[in-house]
């Protein structure tokens, strides 16, 4: 089986920059260094509250990224307008709550069906591959399929936060959801909360095409540097999927 691709989420470099409202560290330079070390794609999220990425970062990333640029967006009309004009290669539709520390759960595709269907159509018309970030629940997957997105990104946060038998159960949920998605014709990415210790079982799930990893890589790179961090993560993924 081929290994899932590694897409590095660069938001947390912008979080560090915004902590001091400085021009550095620059998420675009970080993205370029990740690509040079072998990352297969770059992901970023322009939040409505602009807590990390800023509008100009999206344009600069678009100009600099030579692999694939995946832009996460909420269903907010203004954010979708920016996404439509960003010329990204891929879009991931995510929920956004104002007070959350990070994206806390998957988008509820059933509750949001009318707005979500509209957003999927708009971003597909803009020319990008669309995915929807959902919890590993077959009802969510069926709804995303019905609404016409080709990909889901399965939320791995509950798995990442759990331990022992609960983690095993969450892993089984992700494996079953991947199998279900593939059986109805959906393609599968995964991400959130993945790190050097917990990524292997996810990378080993047959049919997962792409893993989105952000925070743990920035945290590791503080000690190890970007090149070693990316190469080590790529090795974890490759060894797990052998
Ligand atoms: N996938 C999605 C849809 C996300 O919103 C995030 C966090 O911004 C990630 C993956 C990456 O999560 P983490 O930073 O915990 O690796």
């Amino acid at each position: 089986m081929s290994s899932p691709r590694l897409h590095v989420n660069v938001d947390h470099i912008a979080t560090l920059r915004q902590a001091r409202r400085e021009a550095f560290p620059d998420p675009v330079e970080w993205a370029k260094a990740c690509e040079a070390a072998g990352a297969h794609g770059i992901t970023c999220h322009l939040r409505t509250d602009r807590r990390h990425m800023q509008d100009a970062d999206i344009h600069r990333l678009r100009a600099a990224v030579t692999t694939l640029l995946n832009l996460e967006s909420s269903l907010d009309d203004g954010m979708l307008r920016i996404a439509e004009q960003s010329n990204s290669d891929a879009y991931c539709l995510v929920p956004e709550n104002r007070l959350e520390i990070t994206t806390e759960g998957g988008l509820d595709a059933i509750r949001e069906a009318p707005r979500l269907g509209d957003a999927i159509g708009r971003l597909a018309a803009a020319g990008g591959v669309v995915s929807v970030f959902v919890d590993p629940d077959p009802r969510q997957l069926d709804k995303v399929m019905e609404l016409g997105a080709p990909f889901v990104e399965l939320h791995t946060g509950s798995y990442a936060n759990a331990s022992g038998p609960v983690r095993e159960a969450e892993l089984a949920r992700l494996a079953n959801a991947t199998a279900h998605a593939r059986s109805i014709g959906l393609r599968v990415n995964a991400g959130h909360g993945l790190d050097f210790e917990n990524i292997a079982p996810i990378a080993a799930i047959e049919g997962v095409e792409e893993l989105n990893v952000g925070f743990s890589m920035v945290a590791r790179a503080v000690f190890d540097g970007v090149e070693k961090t990316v190469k080590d993560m790529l090795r974890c993924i490759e060894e797990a999927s052998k």
Side-chain angles (χ1 to χ4, degrees):
M1 126 190 183
S2 61
S3 303
R5 296 181 305 276
L6 171 63
H7 280 222
V8 179
N9 182 312
V10 303
D11 296 346
H12 297 290
I13 294 294
T15 301
L16 194 53
R17 178 191 63 189
Q18 296 310 110
R20 296 294 290 266
R21 303 283 189 273
E22 282 285 1
F24 60 87
D26 182 0
V28 179
E29 290 305 314
W30 168 256
K32 283 160 64 178
C34 289
E35 286 187 318
H40 304 107
I42 300 297
T43 296
C44 62
H45 182 184
L46 184 68
R47 288 182 61 100
T48 315
D49 61 14
R50 305 299 195 274
R51 73 167 63 151
H52 39 54
M53 302 302 289
Q54 307 297 303
D55 298 56
D57 293 327
I58 307 304
H59 302 297
R60 292 175 58 242
L61 273 175
R62 177 58 293 175
V65 166
T66 57
T67 54
L68 289 174
L69 179 63
N70 173 33
L71 176 62
E72 295 177 5
S73 172
S74 73
L75 297 179
D76 175 84
D77 180 60
M79 301 315 299
L80 287 171
R81 247 183 260 172
I82 293 171
E84 285 175 302
Q85 287 160 17
S86 69
N87 197 25
S88 300
D89 302 296
Y91 301 99
C92 182
L93 290 161
V94 298
E96 227 177 73
N97 300 318
R98 234 157 225 292
L99 295 177
E100 68 192 355
I101 292 174
T102 180
T103 314
E104 277 166 356
L107 204 153
D108 188 338
I110 297 163
R111 193 162 54 88
E112 295 283 10
R115 287 206 306 160
L116 181 57
D118 179 56
I120 291 168
R122 284 171 64 173
L123 296 179
V129 177
V130 183
S131 69
V132 183
F133 188 51
V134 288
D135 291 328
D137 172 345
R139 291 165 304 173
Q140 294 290 334
L141 304 172
D142 291 342
K143 183 52 81 176
V144 172
M145 183 67 196
E146 186 189 313
L147 295 173
F151 272 92
V152 281
E153 179 175 330
L154 295 180
H155 193 309
T156 51
S158 299
Y159 158 81
N161 290 333
S163 57
V166 180
R167 177 175 279 192
E168 287 308 310
E170 289 295 338
L171 179 60
R173 224 156 71 89
L174 287 159
N176 291 337
T178 302
H180 179 73
R182 306 273 305 179
S183 77
I184 60 172
L186 273 175
R187 297 172 69 183
V188 179
N189 301 327
H192 210 281
L194 297 178
D195 61 27
F196 288 85
E197 180 262 327
N198 66 23
I199 202 166
I202 303 297
I205 296 175
E206 178 86 46
V208 173
E209 297 189 39
E210 175 190 303
L211 296 171
N212 278 289
V213 188
F215 182 74
S216 66
M217 293 184 66
V218 172
R220 176 65 72 93
V222 171
F223 295 99
D224 284 0
V226 58
E227 186 179 355
K228 178 167 166 28
T229 297
V230 173
K231 288 196 156 85
D232 285 352
M233 188 54 92
L234 284 167
R235 198 173 314 114
C236 281
I237 294 171
E238 271 156 32
E239 278 171 10
S241 55
K242 261 183 198 154

